[in-house]
Amino acid sequence: MRQSLKSNLVITHTVSRQHNSFFHYDSNAKTYFIEQLQTCKNLISATTTHSNVVKSGLSNDTFTTNHLINCYIRFLKINHAHKLFDEMPQRNVVSWTSLMAGYVTCGRPNTALWLFHQMQGTLVLPNEFTFATLINACSILASLDMGRRIHGRVEVMGFGSNRVVCSSLIDMYGKCNHVDEARMVFDSMCVRNVVSWTSMITTYAQNAQGHHALQLFREFTHLRMEKPNHFMLCSVISACASLGSLGSGKVTHGMVIRLCHDANDVVATALVDMYAKCGCVHYSDKVFRRIPNPSVIPYTSMIVGAAKYGLGTLSLQLFQEMIDRRIKPNDVTFVGVLHACSHSGLIDKGLELFNSMNGKYRVMPDSKHYTCVADMLGRVGRVEEAYQLAKSVHVERDGYSILWGTLLSASRLHGRVDIAFEASRRLIESNQQVAGAYVTLSNAYALAGDWENAHQLRSEMKHTGICKEPGSSWIEIKNSTYVFHAGDVSKCSQANEILSLLKELKHRMKERGYVGRTTGLVFVDIEEEAKEEIVSLHSEKLALAFGLINMPKGVTIRVMKNLRMCRDCHESFKLISDIVERDFVVRDVNRFHHFKNGLCTCGDFW
DNA sequence: TTAGGGTTAG
């Protein structure tokens, strides 16, 4: 790399002879070079200017060299930047911080931390820019220990109230899954801005605390200090998705449109994901089709959404479409298409895609893909093949438990107690998913009629104090959330109604040829997992059924005609109408817009 | 008068 830099300089030296007016240092030349470095559009221009800087005798000037370093970093030429840094007679805090930030940008956060270690051996002191960069490196690495140590230095050196440093700290603690520490930093801030609020909202959203994320977003909007930007809206949409909260998701979508962020691809991708997770893949598709040139991420989001909804053919069509448009799939895309094949019974196609991953698409299969294939084979009863696959691959710690957990479920489902036993043994030995492994193995014994072993395992769990938290699932109906815990319907006021509905659904599904995963075991005390399964299995259909009961179609659209909405709201309504069904729109608009004498005075959806 | 923070798919 260093050799190529020299070559470039030789070439550009020849070129620059044509207009060699910068052989001597003067301040105008310096200003000109800096402007060139800040605005140059390609590496050739950068190296040409570099050559002229050298000829003009400015190569020892710290300020100009810092600009050169940052210019090379802009083109991701970190080795060029580091060589310049090494050759500097005098480096200041900007030189150090620029190079550290460059390494973070180039995906080498560890080198940035190593540079900080080197810097501590000099007389140059770090400033708030340096700390923000270092904390960002810790965030990427999810290195809590290093992050805490740098936080300590931040406080000692008096940068603890800097807004940018604090926002980085919130993000770092969030990425390390330490929500309380992130909140402590957030609460300690005297002045916050949209970035600090976004960091905290994102922390909640990414740590399964969607309700807290939405609550904080409400607080932010009530303050009316700044408008939410696309970063914040993305996190809010993501929180709605994690909660499966369609109502909040649609309201946030309305806000996205009103604040003119609907053309942002990242926001649109978040919406695609949110609608799919809320069970409205049809809306996902509408949002997706409005993205002019979707990259691999929106495509993958749509592929995964369709896959989870059982629309395997749609997933595969989208996959083919992106290949035709020369968009390169990545590892996540393959998780999506394999998942689609698995859930739609497209085994041959799934195996064909899996086998072509490396050769045709240059994506190396990893534990996620092995698990998808094991799941795909297991679902159709090809448990032996799934078992052979799992035994033949080497996977890391987390991937290992997921892969063998999948094998355990498949073997239990198809009565292969031998494989279930081995999968459980592997999980218990690896000290992961231990309680789940005990319960599933116990169920496998019960399914095979081996009640003695089933009870013995349960006794063992009691004696050793292994306890599995009951699973739960939830649905949101008309802005209320209904939570179901495995094996406990007593807290639900509509238990009888729900159970009779489940029976009815099960009956109809059987009529259509559905073969249940659970049999008479479902209502035996020992089988809490089985109950969990039946509740989660039907929750989506339950939501639909409740929808039919409690949300009749035909909420009159005439109401809208009597209302005069402000122009913004009217535009929002028109756009949303294009995306979602009308009866929902009417409810949403009536609920979240404020009307006075038939005139919309709405300033905010919230 | 150069360097720093928050977003989307599994």
Side-chain angles (χ1 to χ4, degrees):
Chain A
M1 187 58 82
R2 290 182 185 188
Q3 185 59 47
S4 71
L5 175 62
K6 276 185 183 171
S7 311
N8 273 332
L9 288 177
V10 172
I11 294 162
T12 53
H13 178 81
T14 313
V15 173
S16 65
R17 279 181 189 283
Q18 295 161 14
H19 44 90
N20 53 356
S21 53
F22 305 115
F23 282 107
H24 302 288
Y25 170 84
D26 75 58
S27 60
N28 285 340
K30 182 173 167 176
T31 309
Y32 175 78
F33 290 145
I34 287 166
E35 196 185 317
Q36 289 286 303
L37 291 169
Q38 284 179 320
T39 56
C40 68
K41 296 276 189 291
N42 55 53
L43 189 60
I44 293 174
S45 311
T47 50
T48 303
T49 311
H50 184 183
S51 172
N52 289 331
V53 165
V54 172
K55 280 184 281 178
S56 66
L58 272 167
S59 51
N60 286 343
D61 179 64
T62 303
F63 186 77
T64 309
T65 310
N66 284 346
H67 271 286
L68 269 169
I69 287 173
N70 281 297
C71 186
Y72 280 127
I73 287 169
R74 200 150 49 85
F75 296 113
L76 303 177
K77 296 293 174 189
I78 192 70
N79 289 356
H80 290 42
H82 203 142
K83 183 173 186 296
L84 277 167
F85 177 86
D86 282 343
E87 290 167 353
M88 286 175 86
Q90 275 199 315
R91 302 172 195 121
N92 63 11
V93 63
V94 179
S95 324
W96 284 96
T97 308
S98 299
L99 195 61
M100 287 178 205
Y103 274 109
V104 174
T105 305
C106 292
R108 293 167 64 182
N110 271 320
T111 312
L113 294 170
W114 172 82
L115 269 171
F116 179 58
H117 184 69
Q118 302 298 307
M119 182 183 166
Q120 285 173 300
T122 72
L123 294 174
V124 181
L125 289 175
N127 64 12
E128 66 269 39
F129 287 83
T130 321
F131 284 121
T133 306
L134 292 167
I135 296 161
N136 189 18
C138 296
S139 177
I140 292 165
L141 293 165
S143 172
L144 183 65
D145 283 350
M146 182 60 79
R148 278 184 178 148
R149 267 184 268 163
I150 291 170
H151 188 180
R153 292 290 299 276
V154 163
E155 296 293 345
V156 168
M157 294 192 69
F159 296 109
S161 57
N162 180 277
R163 204 159 53 181
V164 178
V165 172
C166 285
S167 299
S168 310
L169 284 168
I170 294 167
D171 175 63
M172 183 272 295
Y173 283 122
K175 296 284 192 306
C176 295
N177 309 118
H178 279 243
V179 180
D180 290 346
E181 278 170 273
R183 183 69 202 221
M184 277 169 70
V185 176
F186 180 78
D187 288 338
S188 75
M189 293 176 77
C190 307
V191 186
R192 306 182 187 105
N193 65 2
V194 68
V195 182
S196 15
W197 283 86
T198 301
S199 296
M200 196 61 230
I201 289 169
T202 308
T203 292
Y204 282 131
Q206 291 178 344
N207 284 277
Q209 297 189 31
H211 286 297
H212 285 129
L214 295 187
Q215 179 55 37
L216 203 63
F217 180 56
R218 279 184 208 106
E219 286 175 33
F220 174 81
T221 52
H222 287 152
L223 286 173
R224 296 186 181 278
M225 55 179 219
E226 280 180 82
K227 293 264 185 223
N229 61 18
H230 63 283
F231 287 97
M232 184 178 272
L233 290 166
C234 275
S235 287
V236 175
I237 295 163
S238 172
C240 298
S242 68
L243 292 167
S245 179
L246 182 62
S248 306
K250 282 182 179 172
V251 170
T252 313
H253 188 179
M255 194 180 261
V256 163
I257 294 167
R258 287 178 53 236
L259 294 171
C260 302
H261 293 301
D262 49 320
N264 181 290
D265 286 6
V266 181
V267 174
T269 307
L271 286 167
V272 167
D273 177 60
M274 181 275 292
Y275 280 125
K277 284 179 179 159
C278 293
C280 298
V281 77
H282 175 61
Y283 305 159
S284 297
D285 189 56
K286 291 206 169 195
V287 176
F288 175 74
R289 289 299 169 198
R290 294 172 76 97
I291 304 173
N293 293 301
S295 67
V296 62
I297 300 182
Y299 259 110
T300 303
S301 186
M302 193 61 227
I303 286 169
V304 171
K308 283 185 175 167
Y309 214 76
L311 302 172
T313 310
L314 176 60
S315 285
L316 292 173
Q317 280 170 354
L318 286 158
F319 179 75
Q320 190 55 51
E321 189 182 299
M322 68 181 281
I323 300 301
D324 293 343
R325 294 174 77 169
R326 297 183 187 283
I327 300 162
K328 190 180 178 304
N330 63 19
D331 56 331
V332 187
T333 319
F334 276 101
V335 171
V337 284
L338 291 173
H339 197 75
C341 294
S342 177
H343 284 254
S344 299
L346 305 164
I347 313 302
D348 292 339
K349 183 66 187 171
L351 291 173
E352 180 196 318
L353 282 164
F354 175 67
N355 290 324
S356 65
M357 275 178 68
N358 192 19
K360 193 171 175 185
Y361 301 104
R362 299 277 162 218
V363 179
M364 190 65 83
D366 62 27
S367 65
K368 304 185 294 281
H369 308 105
Y370 301 138
T371 303
C372 283
V373 175
D375 179 56
M376 188 165 68
L377 293 167
R379 277 172 191 271
V380 292
R382 291 162 69 171
V383 188
E384 185 62 36
E385 285 169 76
Y387 174 56
Q388 294 303 332
L389 172 77
K391 276 205 304 185
S392 68
V393 294
H394 175 75
V395 293
E396 73 285 8
R397 188 181 155 80
D398 286 347
Y400 183 88
S401 62
I402 297 168
L403 177 60
W404 284 100
T406 302
L407 250 293
L408 177 57
S409 300
S411 50
R412 195 211 70 171
L413 183 63
H414 294 283
R416 284 292 299 266
V417 177
D418 54 335
I419 298 176
F421 185 80
E422 182 176 342
S424 305
R425 180 185 59 77
R426 284 176 181 260
L427 288 170
I428 292 162
E429 277 175 8
S430 70
N431 205 25
Q432 291 183 80
Q433 297 185 25
V434 173
Y438 267 103
V439 171
T440 313
L441 182 60
S442 161
N443 290 346
Y445 279 129
L447 188 64
D450 187 348
W451 294 99
E452 194 178 327
N453 268 320
H455 281 295
Q456 194 184 330
L457 271 175
R458 289 286 172 166
S459 305
E460 222 175 289
M461 283 181 76
K462 274 186 188 165
H463 286 132
T464 49
I466 294 169
C467 179
K468 183 180 181 310
E469 280 188 24
S472 63
S473 61
W474 62 92
I475 54 171
E476 186 198 77
I477 301 166
K478 281 195 166 182
N479 231 18
S480 295
T481 305
Y482 297 81
V483 184
F484 302 89
H485 291 279
D488 181 16
V489 288
S490 60
K491 294 190 188 95
C492 179
S493 60
Q494 292 166 286
N496 289 334
E497 195 182 347
I498 289 168
L499 285 172
S500 81
L501 191 62
L502 281 174
K503 279 184 186 168
E504 172 67 17
L505 283 166
K506 195 177 171 188
H507 176 67
R508 288 194 197 178
M509 287 166 79
K510 273 189 174 173
E511 277 182 347
R512 291 189 181 194
Y514 172 76
V515 181
R517 286 201 274 175
T518 51
T519 58
L521 293 170
V522 175
F523 300 109
V524 178
D525 281 350
I526 188 173
E527 294 304 312
E528 289 184 355
E529 283 302 290
K531 284 185 186 176
E532 176 187 341
E533 274 180 11
I534 200 162
V535 172
S536 61
L537 182 71
H538 292 297
S539 62
E540 200 168 86
K541 291 178 174 61
L542 198 62
L544 284 172
F546 267 93
L548 292 170
I549 296 163
N550 293 330
M551 294 183 229
K553 298 235 178 201
V555 176
T556 174
I557 200 82
R558 284 193 299 275
V559 177
M560 297 302 303
K561 291 179 182 166
N562 297 328
L563 298 168
R564 284 181 294 143
M565 289 188 289
C566 68
R567 195 164 159 266
D568 279 356
C569 298
H570 188 65
E571 287 301 309
S572 300
F573 174 70
K574 277 203 301 184
L575 286 162
I576 296 177
S577 296
D578 188 38
I579 293 166
V580 299
E581 287 176 12
R582 283 198 155 192
D583 55 336
F584 284 104
V585 175
V586 174
R587 284 195 305 110
D588 283 354
V589 171
N590 279 338
R591 190 188 302 159
F592 296 110
H593 286 228
H594 306 292
F595 297 101
K596 201 172 179 180
N597 300 325
L599 182 71
C600 180
T601 57
C602 171
D604 201 321
F605 271 82
W606 293 87

